[in-house]
CSV table of all heavy atoms in Angstrom, one decimal:
chain,number,residue,atom,x,y,z
T,82,MET,N,54.1,23.8,-2.1
T,82,MET,CA,53.0,23.6,-1.3
T,82,MET,C,52.6,24.7,-0.4
T,82,MET,O,51.5,24.9,0.0
T,82,MET,CB,53.1,22.3,-0.5
T,82,MET,CG,53.1,21.0,-1.3
T,82,MET,SD,51.7,20.8,-2.4
T,82,MET,CE,50.4,20.5,-1.2
T,83,ASP,N,53.6,25.5,0.0
T,83,ASP,CA,53.4,26.7,0.8
T,83,ASP,C,53.0,28.0,0.1
T,83,ASP,O,52.7,29.0,0.7
T,83,ASP,CB,54.7,27.0,1.6
T,83,ASP,CG,54.9,25.9,2.7
T,83,ASP,OD1,54.0,25.2,3.1
T,83,ASP,OD2,56.1,25.8,3.1
T,84,THR,N,53.0,27.9,-1.3
T,84,THR,CA,52.6,29.1,-2.0
T,84,THR,C,51.1,29.2,-2.2
T,84,THR,O,50.3,28.2,-1.9
T,84,THR,CB,53.2,29.0,-3.5
T,84,THR,OG1,52.6,28.0,-4.2
T,84,THR,CG2,54.7,28.9,-3.4
T,85,ASP,N,50.7,30.3,-2.6
T,85,ASP,CA,49.2,30.6,-2.8
T,85,ASP,C,48.8,30.2,-4.2
T,85,ASP,O,47.6,30.4,-4.6
T,85,ASP,CB,48.9,32.0,-2.5
T,85,ASP,CG,49.0,32.4,-1.1
T,85,ASP,OD1,48.8,31.5,-0.2
T,85,ASP,OD2,49.2,33.6,-0.7
T,86,CYS,N,49.7,29.8,-5.0
T,86,CYS,CA,49.4,29.4,-6.4
T,86,CYS,C,48.6,28.2,-6.5
T,86,CYS,O,48.6,27.3,-5.6
T,86,CYS,CB,50.7,29.2,-7.2
T,86,CYS,SG,51.7,30.6,-7.4
T,87,SER,N,47.7,28.1,-7.5
T,87,SER,CA,46.8,27.0,-7.6
T,87,SER,C,46.7,26.5,-9.0
T,87,SER,O,46.5,27.4,-9.9
T,87,SER,CB,45.5,27.3,-7.0
T,87,SER,OG,44.5,26.4,-7.4
T,88,HIS,N,46.9,25.2,-9.2
T,88,HIS,CA,46.6,24.7,-10.6
T,88,HIS,C,45.1,24.8,-10.9
T,88,HIS,O,44.8,24.9,-12.0
T,88,HIS,CB,47.0,23.2,-10.6
T,88,HIS,CG,48.4,22.9,-11.0
T,88,HIS,ND1,49.3,22.7,-10.1
T,88,HIS,CD2,49.0,22.9,-12.2
T,88,HIS,CE1,50.5,22.5,-10.7
T,88,HIS,NE2,50.3,22.6,-12.0
T,89,MET,N,44.3,24.9,-9.9
T,89,MET,CA,42.9,24.9,-10.1
T,89,MET,C,42.5,26.2,-10.9
T,89,MET,O,41.6,26.1,-11.7
T,89,MET,CB,42.1,24.8,-8.8
T,89,MET,CG,42.2,23.5,-8.1
T,89,MET,SD,41.8,22.1,-9.1
T,89,MET,CE,40.1,22.3,-9.4
T,90,GLU,N,43.1,27.3,-10.5
T,90,GLU,CA,42.7,28.5,-11.2
T,90,GLU,C,43.1,28.4,-12.7
T,90,GLU,O,42.4,28.8,-13.6
T,90,GLU,CB,43.5,29.7,-10.6
T,90,GLU,CG,43.0,31.0,-11.1
T,90,GLU,CD,43.6,32.2,-10.3
T,90,GLU,OE1,43.7,32.1,-9.1
T,90,GLU,OE2,43.9,33.2,-11.0
T,91,MET,N,44.3,27.9,-12.9
T,91,MET,CA,44.7,27.7,-14.3
T,91,MET,C,43.8,26.7,-15.1
T,91,MET,O,43.5,26.9,-16.2
T,91,MET,CB,46.2,27.2,-14.4
T,91,MET,CG,47.2,28.3,-13.9
T,91,MET,SD,48.9,27.8,-14.1
T,91,MET,CE,49.1,26.4,-13.0
T,92,LEU,N,43.4,25.6,-14.4
T,92,LEU,CA,42.5,24.7,-15.0
T,92,LEU,C,41.2,25.3,-15.3
T,92,LEU,O,40.6,25.1,-16.4
T,92,LEU,CB,42.3,23.5,-14.1
T,92,LEU,CG,43.4,22.5,-14.0
T,92,LEU,CD1,43.1,21.5,-12.9
T,92,LEU,CD2,43.6,21.7,-15.3
T,93,ARG,N,40.6,26.1,-14.4
T,93,ARG,CA,39.4,26.8,-14.6
T,93,ARG,C,39.5,27.7,-15.8
T,93,ARG,O,38.6,27.8,-16.7
T,93,ARG,CB,38.9,27.6,-13.4
T,93,ARG,CG,38.4,26.7,-12.3
T,93,ARG,CD,37.8,27.5,-11.1
T,93,ARG,NE,37.8,26.8,-9.9
T,93,ARG,CZ,38.7,26.9,-8.9
T,93,ARG,NH1,39.6,27.8,-9.0
T,93,ARG,NH2,38.6,26.1,-7.9
T,94,ASP,N,40.6,28.5,-15.9
T,94,ASP,CA,40.8,29.4,-17.0
T,94,ASP,C,40.8,28.6,-18.3
T,94,ASP,O,40.2,29.0,-19.4
T,94,ASP,CB,42.0,30.2,-16.9
T,94,ASP,CG,41.9,31.2,-15.8
T,94,ASP,OD1,40.8,31.5,-15.3
T,94,ASP,OD2,43.0,31.8,-15.4
T,95,THR,N,41.5,27.5,-18.4
T,95,THR,CA,41.7,26.7,-19.5
T,95,THR,C,40.3,26.1,-20.0
T,95,THR,O,39.9,26.2,-21.1
T,95,THR,CB,42.7,25.5,-19.3
T,95,THR,OG1,43.9,26.1,-19.0
T,95,THR,CG2,42.8,24.6,-20.5
T,96,ILE,N,39.6,25.6,-19.0
T,96,ILE,CA,38.3,25.0,-19.3
T,96,ILE,C,37.3,26.1,-19.8
T,96,ILE,O,36.6,25.9,-20.8
T,96,ILE,CB,37.7,24.2,-18.1
T,96,ILE,CG1,38.6,23.0,-17.8
T,96,ILE,CG2,36.2,23.8,-18.3
T,96,ILE,CD1,38.3,22.4,-16.5
T,97,ASP,N,37.4,27.2,-19.2
T,97,ASP,CA,36.5,28.4,-19.6
T,97,ASP,C,36.8,28.8,-21.0
T,97,ASP,O,35.9,28.9,-21.9
T,97,ASP,CB,36.7,29.5,-18.6
T,97,ASP,CG,35.9,30.7,-19.1
T,97,ASP,OD1,34.6,30.6,-19.2
T,97,ASP,OD2,36.5,31.8,-19.3
T,98,SER,N,38.1,28.9,-21.4
T,98,SER,CA,38.5,29.3,-22.7
T,98,SER,C,38.1,28.3,-23.7
T,98,SER,O,37.6,28.6,-24.8
T,98,SER,CB,40.0,29.6,-22.8
T,98,SER,OG,40.4,30.6,-21.9
T,99,PHE,N,38.4,27.0,-23.4
T,99,PHE,CA,38.1,25.9,-24.3
T,99,PHE,C,36.6,25.8,-24.6
T,99,PHE,O,36.1,25.7,-25.7
T,99,PHE,CB,38.6,24.6,-23.7
T,99,PHE,CG,38.2,23.4,-24.5
T,99,PHE,CD1,38.6,23.2,-25.8
T,99,PHE,CD2,37.4,22.4,-23.9
T,99,PHE,CE1,38.2,22.1,-26.5
T,99,PHE,CE2,37.0,21.3,-24.7
T,99,PHE,CZ,37.4,21.1,-26.0
T,100,SER,N,35.8,25.8,-23.5
T,100,SER,CA,34.3,25.7,-23.7
T,100,SER,C,33.8,26.9,-24.4
T,100,SER,O,32.8,26.7,-25.2
T,100,SER,CB,33.6,25.4,-22.4
T,100,SER,OG,33.8,26.5,-21.5
T,101,GLN,N,34.3,28.1,-24.2
T,101,GLN,CA,33.8,29.2,-24.9
T,101,GLN,C,34.2,29.1,-26.4
T,101,GLN,O,33.4,29.5,-27.3
T,101,GLN,CB,34.4,30.5,-24.3
T,101,GLN,CG,33.8,31.8,-25.0
T,101,GLN,CD,32.3,31.9,-24.8
T,101,GLN,OE1,31.8,31.7,-23.7
T,101,GLN,NE2,31.6,32.1,-25.9
T,102,ARG,N,35.3,28.6,-26.7
T,102,ARG,CA,35.7,28.4,-28.1
T,102,ARG,C,34.7,27.4,-28.8
T,102,ARG,O,34.3,27.6,-29.9
T,102,ARG,CB,37.2,27.9,-28.2
T,102,ARG,CG,37.7,27.8,-29.7
T,102,ARG,CD,39.1,27.4,-29.8
T,102,ARG,NE,39.2,26.0,-29.7
T,102,ARG,CZ,40.0,25.3,-28.9
T,102,ARG,NH1,40.8,26.0,-28.1
T,102,ARG,NH2,40.0,24.0,-28.9
T,103,LEU,N,34.4,26.3,-28.0
T,103,LEU,CA,33.4,25.4,-28.6
T,103,LEU,C,32.1,26.1,-28.9
T,103,LEU,O,31.4,25.8,-29.9
T,103,LEU,CB,33.2,24.2,-27.6
T,103,LEU,CG,34.3,23.3,-27.4
T,103,LEU,CD1,34.0,22.3,-26.3
T,103,LEU,CD2,34.7,22.5,-28.7
T,104,VAL,N,31.6,26.9,-27.9
T,104,VAL,CA,30.3,27.7,-28.1
T,104,VAL,C,30.5,28.5,-29.4
T,104,VAL,O,29.6,28.6,-30.2
T,104,VAL,CB,30.0,28.5,-26.9
T,104,VAL,CG1,28.9,29.5,-27.2
T,104,VAL,CG2,29.6,27.6,-25.7
T,105,ASP,N,31.6,29.3,-29.5
T,105,ASP,CA,31.8,30.2,-30.6
T,105,ASP,C,31.8,29.4,-31.9
T,105,ASP,O,31.2,29.9,-32.9
T,105,ASP,CB,33.1,31.0,-30.4
T,105,ASP,CG,33.0,31.9,-29.2
T,105,ASP,OD1,31.9,32.2,-28.7
T,105,ASP,OD2,34.1,32.4,-28.8
T,106,GLU,N,32.5,28.3,-31.9
T,106,GLU,CA,32.5,27.5,-33.2
T,106,GLU,C,31.2,27.0,-33.6
T,106,GLU,O,30.8,27.0,-34.7
T,106,GLU,CB,33.5,26.3,-33.0
T,106,GLU,CG,35.0,26.8,-33.0
T,106,GLU,CD,35.9,25.7,-32.6
T,106,GLU,OE1,35.5,24.5,-32.3
T,106,GLU,OE2,37.2,26.0,-32.5
T,107,ARG,N,30.4,26.5,-32.6
T,107,ARG,CA,29.0,26.0,-32.8
T,107,ARG,C,28.2,27.1,-33.4
T,107,ARG,O,27.4,26.9,-34.3
T,107,ARG,CB,28.4,25.4,-31.6
T,107,ARG,CG,27.1,24.8,-31.7
T,107,ARG,CD,27.0,23.5,-32.5
T,107,ARG,NE,27.7,22.5,-31.7
T,107,ARG,CZ,28.3,21.5,-32.3
T,107,ARG,NH1,28.1,21.2,-33.5
T,107,ARG,NH2,28.9,20.6,-31.6
T,108,GLU,N,28.2,28.3,-32.8
T,108,GLU,CA,27.4,29.4,-33.3
T,108,GLU,C,27.8,29.8,-34.7
T,108,GLU,O,27.0,30.2,-35.5
T,108,GLU,CB,27.5,30.6,-32.3
T,108,GLU,CG,26.8,30.3,-31.0
T,108,GLU,CD,26.9,31.4,-29.9
T,108,GLU,OE1,27.6,32.4,-30.2
T,108,GLU,OE2,26.3,31.2,-28.8
T,109,ALA,N,29.1,29.8,-34.9
T,109,ALA,CA,29.6,30.1,-36.3
T,109,ALA,C,29.1,29.1,-37.3
T,109,ALA,O,28.7,29.5,-38.4
T,109,ALA,CB,31.1,30.2,-36.3
T,110,GLU,N,29.0,27.8,-36.9
T,110,GLU,CA,28.5,26.8,-37.8
T,110,GLU,C,27.0,27.1,-38.1
T,110,GLU,O,26.6,27.0,-39.2
T,110,GLU,CB,28.6,25.4,-37.2
T,110,GLU,CG,29.9,24.7,-37.5
T,110,GLU,CD,29.9,23.3,-36.8
T,110,GLU,OE1,28.9,22.7,-36.6
T,110,GLU,OE2,31.0,22.9,-36.5
T,111,LYS,N,26.3,27.4,-37.1
T,111,LYS,CA,24.8,27.6,-37.2
T,111,LYS,C,24.6,28.8,-38.1
T,111,LYS,O,23.7,28.8,-39.0
T,111,LYS,CB,24.2,27.8,-35.9
T,111,LYS,CG,24.0,26.6,-35.1
T,111,LYS,CD,23.3,26.9,-33.7
T,111,LYS,CE,23.2,25.7,-32.9
T,111,LYS,NZ,22.6,26.0,-31.5
T,112,ASN,N,25.4,29.9,-37.9
T,112,ASN,CA,25.2,31.1,-38.7
T,112,ASN,C,25.6,30.8,-40.2
T,112,ASN,O,25.0,31.4,-41.1
T,112,ASN,CB,26.1,32.2,-38.1
T,112,ASN,CG,25.6,32.8,-36.8
T,112,ASN,OD1,24.4,32.7,-36.6
T,112,ASN,ND2,26.4,33.4,-36.0
Side-chain angles (χ1 to χ4, degrees):
M82 292 303 292
D83 289 340
T84 67
D85 289 334
C86 296
S87 167
H88 271 97
M89 294 307 293
E90 188 172 322
M91 291 186 296
L92 284 171
R93 283 186 204 105
D94 289 346
T95 299
I96 293 166
D97 178 57
S98 296
F99 173 66
S100 60
Q101 186 59 51
R102 189 176 80 232
L103 291 174
V104 167
D105 294 345
E106 288 171 0
R107 179 73 62 204
E108 288 176 359
E110 271 181 30
K111 286 179 183 178
N112 288 337

